[in-house]
Amino acid sequence: METVLYPPLEDWDKLCKRTSINLEKIEMVCREVFDEVSRDGDKALSRYTELYDRVKIDDFAVSDEEKAACGDKVPEELKRAILTAKANIEKFHRSQLYTPTPIETSQGVCCRQEIRPISRVGLYIPGGQAPLFSTVLMLAVPASVAGCSEVVLCSPPNASGEINPIVLWTAIECGVKKIYKVGGTQAIAAMTLGTETIPSVYKIFGPGNQYVMAAKQLAQRYGVAIDMPAGPSEVMVVADDTARAKYVAADMLSQAEHGPDSQSILATSSKRLASEVEKEVERQLALLPRREVAIKSLLHSRIVVLEDVSQCIAFSNAYAPEHLILSVESPEEWVEKISDAGSVFMGHYTPESAGDYASGTNHTLPTSSYARTYSGVNMDAFVKKITFQSISREGLKNLSSTIMTMAQNECLDAHSRAVSIRLEDDN
Amino acid sequence: METVLYPPLEDWDKLCKRTSINLEKIEMVCREVFDEVSRDGDKALSRYTELYDRVKIDDFAVSDEEKAACGDKVPEELKRAILTAKANIEKFHRSQLYTPTPIETSQGVCCRQEIRPISRVGLYIPGGQAPLFSTVLMLAVPASVAGCSEVVLCSPPNASGEINPIVLWTAIECGVKKIYKVGGTQAIAAMTLGTETIPSVYKIFGPGNQYVMAAKQLAQRYGVAIDMPAGPSEVMVVADDTARAKYVAADMLSQAEHGPDSQSILATSSKRLASEVEKEVERQLALLPRREVAIKSLLHSRIVVLEDVSQCIAFSNAYAPEHLILSVESPEEWVEKISDAGSVFMGHYTPESAGDYASGTNHTLPTSSYARTYSGVNMDAFVKKITFQSISREGLKNLSSTIMTMAQNECLDAHSRAVSIRLEDDN
């Protein structure tokens, strides 16, 4: 892990660069899958599942028996943990609901927003080494709070043709009814196009490898919305002299263990802390089961020493991190200055892993500097806002010259007439 | 214009189809422009401006002299109209601001959202036959209300190398400082990549022809966000027996005059109204300056007669219209049932043109059934929501077994350690 001392402003851009991934080639591969799924439906899913997951699946829908049985395979302690996390996530997401205020913009002209759930959403939960049941919570809980009427969940089968029981149990606890044993590009294609078994949806959520990312990008070309563009996970720790090196190191490593392309950055005003963290990372790294992954990630992670916390915050804003940990004495003082980040963890006892799992905030967050424009998944992601307006005859009369003058100047005569024709009658 | 009587449910899908546009070929053309702008900057913009706008531009920035002069070219009556509309748009968009409520999800675990403006936004205003100064209001007003610090506006120059003075005057009134005389694909490329003169932005808003739409789609591949995918404009009128045929016809025609690919649909419970509207459309059409455009649009517009208003609303939801006009006796009664639409106009004195210009709602709305997942442009489009959390030592202790159990079951040991390491100390 490189340490950069007091980089001048003109070097910040370079220090904020992410490894860019070119998905275009992968997208070409995805196109084939989409074409086949479009043509052959479930049969195409079967072929790809046999090819990639090495298992033959006849019915992709998880059966009632499988649903009933999965609970036995989840330890009670884990169930309790999942339900505690679920309660917090539900509380925080429910707190985001609000009723927009109607307004009379001018006399007799009433405007308002109404919020409606997206009716059909698809959630993708990757398989692989670790079962991401936490992501089930992060997506299925807000979908349920929003009132999405059809929630479809796809996750790849293991070698015995089953979805991970923890993922399945969590999905059921979150009220998901339509659960399918299919993964990868073919799952995204199925939710985009629909097959005999799997319904198509309007918006697809969830993480995945580069193939899944490329498939979600492709899904957009079919008119399906997605949660956000995805990239490797990342953390920025801003630390002052009060930070403890071992906590900071633990936070950086918990990012690093995510994947070889994860990035951890420490921006600190303390040269002493910088060198202590470096040592502490080495020490803790040795104890990590996923050390091999973390080592690769640390190769493109770094420590940046800057003049003061104010500069560290400015550097963080320039980077626009997915996760920002404020390991500083008075984190609240800096909140106002933070302009670009996905989720912020304040103070010495707020590790990222709290938000990854159980505090209530969502862990589906914008990476690769997308925090400049995208929010993390929140209630807005599962709803849309429809504007409504109601104008009285008097209100229209008051506004008529404004509308008609503007319409005529945009050469839209019928727009003008839609007003005048309503006012030419007597009543 | 075709009339369809009592179509069975299985025909609705077909009746709700939009003309699909394949932007992929156009995107290939856009790629060349992006590559050239990336390589040659302003010089490339000059070349394309000469090619497409047939004018040589040396400095793309609108000068202070041009800014000072434009007001003289805008009639006072139009200025007043624009300022009235601006005031309403500002009121409605300002009413959408709200402060999220912080919440303690469990003891010592405080979570909240904070709203931040997107710092750099680009607004594209097309040129062509009509100057879309109303779109300047719809984009620049919320950008200003949100507090976006850098607002860039591009609009193509006319044959004398000038931006339309009404567009320019409106932009200045909305507080836009950085205004550039460049249009089409090259404008989108400039705002995506940046040139010597034009700053790059993080999110691009605004309508345009197919080239502009394809260019915005391409911009996303460079990490730039866009307002929403675009398609031809459309209106659904739901009318009962109380509707007046001439108002309904005027509304359908004000949609039809937008462009040959616009679509107007009347869903009505009244067979009598259906045939009256048909005649009235013919009558009013004859009086329209943009009749040639409207005729083409009416070729793929239609009247659908259904059993009752409830069915008409269901049909509208299936179509997910950009604009929905409720020409029915008691529109408020139906609000709850409306699940998918961009903007809704309620009652006999609420023409779409009111919302297009001056009532206060935004006219940048989702087309092509994107209303299922996208909202029209509103304050959310110019901001992002960042989650913040603050956990006390006690709060972390309470939540520790939950986090650690979940992390261990996802095989993320360092995530678990980031918690335990904070609790192993005494204080």
Side-chain angles (χ1 to χ4, degrees), chain B residues 136-253:
Chain B
V136 178
L137 294 177
M138 296 298 172
L139 301 177
V141 168
S144 151
V145 172
C148 303
S149 51
E150 186 160 302
V151 181
V152 171
L153 186 147
C154 291
S155 192
N158 62 17
S160 344
E162 285 170 348
I163 285 188
N164 178 285
I166 315 176
V167 166
L168 184 54
W169 184 82
T170 308
I172 296 165
E173 282 298 315
C174 294
V176 182
K177 303 265 183 303
K178 302 193 170 186
I179 307 173
Y180 302 94
K181 298 178 270 186
V182 60
T185 307
Q186 60 273 23
I188 306 301
M191 290 193 282
T192 302
L193 303 158
T195 69
E196 301 91 312
T197 312
I198 302 178
S200 65
V201 300
Y202 300 145
K203 187 168 185 177
I204 297 175
F205 295 78
N209 61 19
Q210 296 190 8
Y211 286 87
V212 169
M213 280 158 56
K216 280 171 67 185
Q217 212 166 79
L218 186 57
Q220 291 186 282
R221 307 216 160 208
Y222 290 80
V224 171
I226 65 169
D227 45 2
M228 66 188 81
S233 192
E234 64 207 19
V235 72
M236 165 82 64
V237 184
V238 166
D240 65 11
D241 213 46
T242 68
R244 308 218 187 149
K246 64 179 185 176
Y247 303 177
V248 173
D251 289 338
M252 293 180 81
L253 285 169

Side-chain angles (χ1 to χ4, degrees), chain A residues 49-336:
Chain A
T49 302
E50 223 175 327
L51 184 64
Y52 294 123
D53 301 304
R54 294 166 191 279
V55 60
K56 197 156 168 45
I57 304 269
D58 292 321
D59 186 358
F60 290 96
V62 172
S63 69
D64 290 345
E65 293 71 44
E66 287 172 293
K67 286 179 186 173
C70 69
D72 295 341
K73 297 174 200 155
V74 184
E76 288 307 314
E77 189 197 4
L78 179 57
K79 282 184 183 171
R80 273 195 305 277
I82 290 173
L83 292 177
T84 301
K86 177 172 176 281
N88 286 346
I89 294 163
E90 199 172 318
K91 260 185 231 166
F92 182 55
H93 286 78
R94 203 172 282 287
S95 81
Q96 293 166 24
L97 297 175
Y98 73 103
T99 307
T101 320
I103 185 173
E104 193 169 359
T105 53
S106 57
Q107 213 197 327
V109 181
C110 297
C111 301
R112 69 180 196 260
Q113 291 180 309
E114 293 265 344
I115 299 175
R116 294 288 181 274
I118 296 173
S119 56
R120 293 154 71 171
V121 298
L123 317 181
Y124 182 72
I125 307 297
Q129 300 147 299
L132 292 184
F133 54 86
S134 62
T135 303
V136 178
L137 294 176
M138 296 298 173
L139 301 178
V141 168
S144 152
V145 171
C148 302
S149 51
E150 186 161 300
V151 180
V152 171
L153 186 147
C154 290
S155 192
N158 62 18
S160 344
E162 286 169 346
I163 284 188
N164 179 286
I166 315 176
V167 166
L168 184 54
W169 184 83
T170 308
I172 296 166
E173 282 298 316
C174 294
V176 181
K177 304 264 182 303
K178 305 194 170 187
I179 307 173
Y180 302 95
K181 297 178 270 186
V182 59
T185 307
Q186 59 273 24
I188 306 300
M191 291 193 281
T192 302
L193 302 159
T195 70
E196 303 90 314
T197 311
I198 302 178
S200 64
V201 300
Y202 301 145
K203 188 168 184 177
I204 298 175
F205 295 79
N209 61 19
Q210 296 191 7
Y211 285 88
V212 170
M213 279 158 57
K216 281 172 66 185
Q217 213 166 79
L218 187 57
Q220 291 186 282
R221 308 218 159 207
Y222 291 79
V224 171
I226 65 168
D227 46 0
M228 69 188 81
S233 191
E234 63 205 20
V235 71
M236 165 82 64
V237 184
V238 166
D240 65 11
D241 213 46
T242 67
R244 305 213 192 155
K246 63 179 183 175
Y247 302 178
V248 172
D251 290 339
M252 293 180 81
L253 284 170
S254 73
Q255 189 58 53
E257 76 174 343
H258 264 298
D261 48 7
S262 287
Q263 191 172 50
S264 308
I265 297 191
L266 166 62
T268 180
S269 55
S270 165
K271 231 168 129 174
R272 177 194 56 75
L273 184 79
S275 75
E276 278 179 29
V277 167
E278 212 178 337
K279 279 176 220 132
E280 191 62 30
V281 164
E282 287 303 319
R283 193 186 68 80
Q284 292 182 29
L285 185 61
L287 311 168
L288 267 193
R290 287 171 66 82
R291 159 170 76 244
E292 294 309 316
V293 170
I295 287 172
K296 283 184 192 145
S297 159
L298 290 173
L299 288 177
H300 42 91
S301 295
R302 60 176 70 95
I303 298 173
V304 181
V305 181
L306 292 158
E307 289 298 341
D308 50 29
V309 175
S310 174
Q311 271 214 358
C312 295
I313 297 287
F315 183 74
S316 172
N317 286 336
Y319 183 83
E322 180 190 13
H323 306 97
L324 168 59
I325 300 176
L326 295 181
S327 295
V328 298
E329 194 167 16
S330 311
E332 279 293 347
E333 272 176 34
W334 299 102
V335 167
E336 230 177 78

